[in-house]
Structures are given as C-alpha cells and as structure tokens.
Amino acid sequence: MTGAELIIDAFGRVREVVHQVADGLTPRQLTERLDDGANSIAWLLWHLTRVQDDHFADAFGVAQVWTEQGWFERFGLPFKPEATGYAHSSDDVAAVRVESAELLTGYHDAVHAQTIRLVSEIGEGGFDRIVDRSWNPPVTLGVRLVSVISDGLQHAGQAAFIRGVLERTRR
C-alpha cells in the first residue's frame, strides 16, 4: 500500500461515518443540541467538511469546493464564504441549519471526490512538501493530511455520539 492509498483509505473512513451519522435524520434532529453550549450534528458535519475543503484547497493550490461548486449558496448560512467554524460562538453553531441530511452528505461527497483526486496525484516524496511555514517546525503535506483526518474522525465521532443520545431519548 502506498502512502496515498493509506490516506485515501483514512478519508474514506471519515466519509463512512459522516454518512452513517446523517442517514435518515430530519432537519430538526440535525440541529438538535444537547444543551445551549453544545454543537449540533449539522454543525459538526459542516465544520469537518469545511476544514477538509479549506485545508486541501490551501495545500494543493486549488479552489474550495464550497465556493467553486455553489455549496455556499445552497447552504445559505449567515457566514462569510471563508468561514470554516473555527472560533464559532454558540449563536454561530445554532445558525447552522440545513434543509436535509442530503445537503450535508452531498457537500461532503463533493469534497471527498476532490480529496481523492488530489491525494491520488501525490508522488513519491510528495508528503514531505512544506505547506505551512507559520508553524515551527513548518508543516508538511503529510502532517497536514493526518491532522485533517484526525480532526474529521473526532468530529464525526462526536456527531455519532449525539445521534446515539438522540436515538436513546427519542428526540
């Protein structure tokens, strides 16, 4: 297995959890919060996808799927196009409302398709390329990809936990 194949497999696992979590949920369930300070499933899935989209666009020098393919307009969220959810307040989390689970999974699938295309093109030694010099040590492509996978799996797991609570309490 190549490094690219390993990364593709990991992002496929993130995608699987995103679909498992969102499948069959209503807009109300997607935006349900366990308390006023908690994240919703909709916010978590949107955020993990936005981060993946944003970080890949930056690392590979391509346009974000969010703006390039019209997802920003389809979601109609009250944020600037560059928003990814970092530093969002409780009110910002509450503002992430979606019309359907399919909107979230559709955007995630579009980002996943770009992810697979870009990772498939990484050649031998490509993971060592510096993509962010604002850190010490500078961040390589490989480290950035693992970071995005880790973040995605953590947020997908949080969303799965919330779904489990909602199902057990029949919300």
Side-chain angles (χ1 to χ4, degrees), residues 8-72:
I8 288 169
D9 181 77
F11 277 107
R13 291 167 192 256
V14 174
R15 182 178 175 272
E16 285 176 25
V17 178
V18 166
H19 277 265
Q20 289 168 354
V21 168
D23 185 48
L25 293 183
T26 66
R28 187 184 71 70
Q29 290 169 315
L30 289 165
T31 57
E32 181 84 22
R33 296 167 72 190
L34 301 182
D35 66 42
D36 290 342
N39 295 325
S40 67
I41 291 171
W43 185 88
L44 287 162
L45 300 183
W46 170 80
H47 169 65
L48 75 86
T49 306
R50 285 293 298 124
V51 168
Q52 184 174 331
D53 192 5
D54 173 78
H55 285 29
F56 265 77
D58 183 60
F60 289 91
V62 297
Q64 290 187 28
V65 171
W66 180 244
T67 50
E68 194 70 13
Q69 295 182 17
W71 293 99
F72 171 71

Side-chain angles (χ1 to χ4, degrees), residues 1-13 112 115-116 118-123 127 145 149:
M1 177 177 270
T2 67
E5 291 168 335
L6 186 65
I7 296 294
I8 288 169
D9 181 77
F11 277 107
R13 291 167 192 256
H112 183 74
T115 296
I116 299 312
L118 294 170
V119 171
S120 296
E121 297 171 359
I122 299 172
F127 293 106
L145 297 180
I149 291 164

